[in-house]
Amino acid sequence: MDCVFIGDSIAQGVAVYRPEGQNQAVQGRTTGQTLFRAHQSALRADNVLISVGSNDSRTRQRELRSQVQSLGSELAQHCVTWLLPPSNEII
């Protein structure tokens, strides 16, 4: 598979324009849920597009930063494109 989309509704929306990719993004998904999903599934794709942060509480910045770093490490063997919400400055 060429591309897999993970994360929240932003990734879900982009996946509409890449029907040949596998959409695993879900509206309302948090960074922690995305990280859990990445651990659970063997992502068999050369490219991974991730959108996280738009559904996370801004009061838990340290935890969010740690989760994003973990997610990046988990996907280090893939070519990763990050889509970040403009309102989330901590990522």
Side-chain angles (χ1 to χ4, degrees), residues 2 4 18 24-26 29 31 35 37 50 52-53 60 74 76 78-79 81 83 89:
D2 179 47
V4 65
R18 291 284 309 266
Q24 294 185 7
V26 175
R29 188 173 274 168
T31 301
L35 178 59
R37 176 76 175 156
I50 304 169
V52 294
R60 303 175 79 183
E74 180 78 20
H78 300 278
C79 177
T81 301
L83 295 176
E89 300 169 7

Side-chain angles (χ1 to χ4, degrees), residues 27-88:
Q27 181 178 358
R29 188 173 274 168
T30 65
T31 301
Q33 292 166 335
T34 300
L35 178 59
F36 180 77
R37 176 76 175 156
H39 284 304
Q40 291 288 319
S41 63
L43 298 176
R44 292 179 174 84
D46 296 328
N47 301 291
V48 179
L49 187 136
I50 304 169
S51 173
V52 294
S54 62
N55 298 304
D56 293 288
S57 168
R58 296 179 126 219
T59 61
R60 303 175 79 183
Q61 293 181 1
R62 188 173 296 146
E63 180 183 349
L64 179 58
R65 181 174 290 142
S66 174
Q67 289 173 338
V68 168
Q69 289 170 342
S70 241
L71 187 55
S73 296
E74 180 78 20
L75 301 172
Q77 72 276 13
H78 300 278
C79 177
V80 177
T81 301
W82 293 86
L83 295 176
L84 302 176
S87 62
N88 204 324

Side-chain angles (χ1 to χ4, degrees), residues 2-14:
D2 179 47
C3 187
V4 65
F5 300 87
I6 64 173
D8 57 28
S9 60
I10 297 171
Q12 189 178 37
V14 172

